[in-house]
Structure formats: structure tokens, C-alpha cells
Amino acid sequence: MKIDIVCWAFNGERYLPAVLAQVNKVIPCEVVNQKILVDDKSTDATRQIAERFGWKVIPNEGHGVSDGANTALKYVETEWFLSIEQDVVLTPLFWSKSCVSLEHGVAVVS
């Protein structure tokens, strides 16, 4: 199973380094197809931080969370995708708990 990971961000430089570093630690690289960050016209280093962590950065086609989500979903290639927020650090157990749920057909993990 491969997944795409999506995130939309606006001026997220304060938390993105910790968030993206944890994604790299918690989610096995062999299951990741692509990592997509939709940038909502940030004026800080959001774009550079995401690129440094290996994320494909795409400009938001509109403005705000809803447009960011819709823009991100246009680039998803996999059957399953993971959506993360720019300021939420995943727990170390996130992936192991999520995989169990995915095996049972759950589409949303919180």
C-alpha cells in the first residue's frame, strides 16, 4: 500500500520543521508515494521548509483551507491519502494505529 500525504499551509514556518520531521520519523518512507504541501501565498519560509523536507510545493489555486484542500486533492495519485495540519505533530504511535484502522476500511483516522 502506498499513500500520498497532503498538507495545506499559510505562514507555517514556526511549526513546520517539527511537524515535517515527525512525519518522516513516524510514517515509513516505503509507503509514501508523494508528499504534497499546498502553500496559501505564505510570506515566510513555509515553501523553503517544505522543499527542504522533500515535499512537492504547489500554490493554492484559491485562498483558504477549503481551496487548499481542493487543490491538494487534485494531485493525489493513490487510493488512500493522509491529510495533516501545519501545526499538529503526529504521535510516534500514529502510523501503527492508523494501519490497523485502514485494514478495516476506515477512511478517516483522527
Side-chain angles (χ1 to χ4, degrees), residues 25-109:
K25 286 181 191 174
V26 172
I27 301 174
C29 62
E30 60 270 7
V31 303
V32 177
N33 180 54
Q34 60 180 340
K35 298 180 283 187
I36 304 162
L37 183 127
V38 175
D39 180 40
D40 197 8
K41 301 163 188 69
S42 296
T43 58
D44 65 3
T46 293
R47 177 182 199 91
Q48 294 84 358
I49 292 166
E51 289 171 343
R52 188 172 70 232
F53 280 90
W55 287 64
K56 178 191 302 184
V57 179
I58 298 172
N60 192 344
E61 293 174 0
H63 182 72
V65 173
S66 178
D67 287 335
N70 289 328
T71 299
L73 293 177
K74 289 180 180 181
Y75 293 88
V76 170
E77 301 172 343
T78 57
E79 181 179 2
W80 295 96
F81 71 93
L82 168 64
S83 171
I84 64 167
E85 296 187 26
Q86 72 175 19
D87 59 355
V88 175
V89 178
L90 301 178
T91 174
L93 297 176
F94 177 84
W95 184 251
S96 62
K97 297 297 182 187
S98 298
C99 287
V100 171
S101 296
L102 289 175
E103 290 172 9
H104 294 94
V106 174
V108 178
V109 178

